[in-house]
Amino acid sequence: MMKVWTRRDVAKVGLGGVAAVAMGLRVPQIAGAQAPPLEQKDTYVIGYPQTDENNPWRIAQTNSVRSEIEARGWTVEYRNAQESTQQQLADVASLIAARVDAIFLPPREETPLAQAVLQAYQAGIPVFCLDRDVDQNIVQAGEEYVCFIGSDFYQEGARAAEWLARTTGGNAQIIELFGTTGATAAIDRSRGFVDYLAGTYTPANPESATAATPAPPASAFTGMTIIASQTGNFIRDEGRQVFETLYQANPGATAVYAHNDEMALGAIAALEAQGKVPGQDVIVVSVDGSRDALQAIIDGKLGATVECSPFFGPVACDTLVAYAAGEPVPTQIINTDRFFDASNAAEFIDSAY
Ligand code: GYE
C-alpha cells in the first residue's frame, strides 16, 4: 500500500528526505517546508494537467491559460485527465519526470492531489494551484506549494443561498446538485450555502470582501430545507439524470441549488421533460456564469448564477513572474466575481464563454 505522507513527515525530513525515508534511510531534520524557488528566465515550460474538458468552464480555463502562456513565448505541457483523479496523479508524475519549470495545477480532488503537490515539492518544482485547492492538512500554500489562485467558493455558496432565500421569501424545499466529491469547489460551495441558511455564515476572506459579499444573516432561515443532495460531478447530463431521480423521490421540491451551471441546465432539461416550468414551478440557482446559463436566465428558466471566473491565464503567469523575481506572493489570490440574474444577464451575455 502506498504511504500517505503528511505535512509533519515532510517538515521532519525536509526536501528530498521523503524519498530517503521511504528507502529506510535516516535523514537529518530540517526546519519547515518552503516552496521550491524558480529561476528567472526569458521563457518557461509550464505543466498544465487539466482535470477534463467536459464543460464550457473548463474549456474557457484551458483557452485562457494556454493562450496566455503562448502569447508570452513560453511552452505549455498540457495533459487532460478526463475526469479521472488517478489519471491526473499520473499526469503530474509525468510532468515532474519531464522536468517542467513549474506546474499550474487545477486539483480534481483536494486530498489525493495533495500527494502530487508533495511529489513536485520533493522534485523541486514549484506548483501554483489554480481554481481548486489541495488538502491543507497535507500541504500548505507558501510552504510545499506557492499559492492558491481562484474564487472564494465559500462565499459563492453564501451568495447563492442569500439570493434564494430572498427570492423565495425564506421558504424552499431544496434539491442540491453537488459537484465532484472531494473537490474544493464542491465542498466549499456546499458549506457556504448550508452555513448561510443556518445563520452561521461569516466571510472566510474578509480582505477580499466586496460590496457583493453577503453580510452574515441575522438568524437561521428555518423555512429553507435541503431535502436531498447528491453529486452530479459538475456534468450536465449527470446533473439531469441525478435530478430526475431525486425529483421523482421528492416531488415537493421547489428549488434547486446546483454547484455549477452545467448541472443546473441538466436539471432544467429534466424539469421540462416532466412538463414543469423551471423558474416558476421550481426555482434554480447555480454557480459559474457561462453563456448557456446567462441565456437560461434571459429565458426565465434559471434564476441566477454566481460568477466564478475561468480566466486564469494572466493572473497565473503574472504571479509566476513575480515569484521568479523573488517578490512576495500572497498564499491566496482570490478572484473578484460578479453575480448574474434577470437584471443584468442580457448586458453581459456577449462577453460570456
Ligand atoms: O465551477 C465547474 C468546473 O473548479 C471552479 O469546476 C471549478 C469548477 C467549476 O468543472 O464548472
Side-chain angles (χ1 to χ4, degrees):
M1 205 183 89
M2 196 182 104
K3 161 91 172 102
V4 175
W5 295 100
T6 65
R7 298 194 69 238
R8 187 169 303 162
D9 293 325
V10 175
K12 250 193 335 230
V13 300
L15 187 60
V18 171
V21 168
M23 289 159 61
L25 304 174
R26 279 173 59 87
V27 289
Q29 294 198 353
I30 65 161
Q34 201 181 355
L38 182 62
E39 193 191 323
Q40 253 180 316
K41 298 203 284 188
D42 291 336
T43 178
Y44 295 99
V45 178
I46 308 292
Y48 180 47
Q50 181 56 290
T51 56
D52 64 275
E53 297 289 355
N54 287 348
N55 80 45
W57 193 99
R58 285 284 144 201
I59 294 166
Q61 186 192 35
T62 295
N63 288 342
S64 172
V65 170
R66 189 191 279 282
S67 62
E68 184 69 24
I69 289 175
E70 288 170 354
R72 292 176 189 235
W74 305 353
T75 306
V76 61
E77 276 282 337
Y78 170 80
R79 303 281 189 275
N80 178 355
Q82 301 191 16
E83 291 286 349
S84 158
T85 298
Q86 275 314 107
Q87 183 59 47
Q88 197 180 35
L89 287 166
D91 288 346
V92 174
S94 84
L95 294 168
I96 294 170
R99 298 297 318 162
V100 294
D101 293 312
I103 297 175
F104 288 170
L105 173 66
R108 183 170 189 273
E109 290 179 63
E110 57 180 34
T111 301
L113 268 299
Q115 300 296 319
V117 169
L118 266 185
Q119 280 155 11
Y121 166 76
Q122 287 167 242
I125 297 174
V127 173
F128 300 75
C129 281
L130 299 195
D131 99 71
R132 296 181 190 169
D133 211 347
V134 281
D135 189 334
Q136 299 296 298
N137 294 314
I138 303 172
V139 286
Q140 284 190 357
E143 300 198 8
E144 292 83 5
Y145 65 107
V146 180
C147 64
F148 164 75
I149 307 174
S151 291
D152 181 340
F153 302 125
Y154 185 65
Q155 176 179 299
E156 289 174 347
R159 291 177 85 182
E162 191 272 334
W163 181 88
L164 192 62
R166 188 159 32 86
T167 305
T168 60
N171 280 297
Q173 301 289 301
I174 306 157
I175 291 178
E176 178 183 35
L177 292 175
F178 209 93
T180 300
T181 311
T184 326
I187 296 166
D188 288 350
R189 282 174 188 168
S190 186
R191 270 197 321 120
F193 188 86
V194 167
D195 285 0
Y196 188 85
L197 296 183
T200 58
Y201 169 80
T202 49
N205 287 296
E207 69 282 2
S208 72
T210 65
T213 305
S219 59
F221 293 86
T222 50
M224 309 278 295
T225 311
I226 298 175
I227 52 173
S229 175
Q230 198 176 311
T231 181
N233 265 318
F234 285 129
I235 296 173
R236 188 184 296 207
D237 202 52
E238 230 175 293
R240 182 186 62 75
Q241 290 174 38
V242 167
F243 179 77
E244 202 174 79
T245 310
L246 294 180
Y247 191 47
Q248 262 159 24
N250 300 276
T254 59
V256 178
Y257 169 43
H259 288 185
N260 78 346
D261 290 340
E262 285 296 288
M263 294 190 295
L265 293 164
I268 286 170
L271 283 166
E272 288 180 324
Q274 295 190 28
K276 299 289 177 188
V277 183
Q280 287 176 26
D281 297 327
V282 176
I283 309 282
V284 187
V285 62
S286 64
V287 187
D288 272 354
S290 68
R291 176 180 294 269
D292 287 356
L294 266 52
Q295 187 59 53
I297 292 175
I298 293 168
D299 296 342
K301 298 175 182 179
L302 179 65
T305 182
V306 186
E307 185 186 30
C308 178
S309 171
F311 302 117
F312 283 87
V315 62
C317 292
D318 286 349
T319 305
L320 180 142
V321 168
Y323 184 68
E327 291 166 24
V329 167
T331 54
Q332 301 240 321
I333 298 175
I334 305 297
N335 298 335
T336 308
D337 291 318
R338 296 168 292 180
F339 189 91
F340 303 118
D341 62 10
S343 71
N344 63 358
E347 181 190 338
F348 291 114
I349 190 160
D350 286 341
S351 58
Y353 51 90

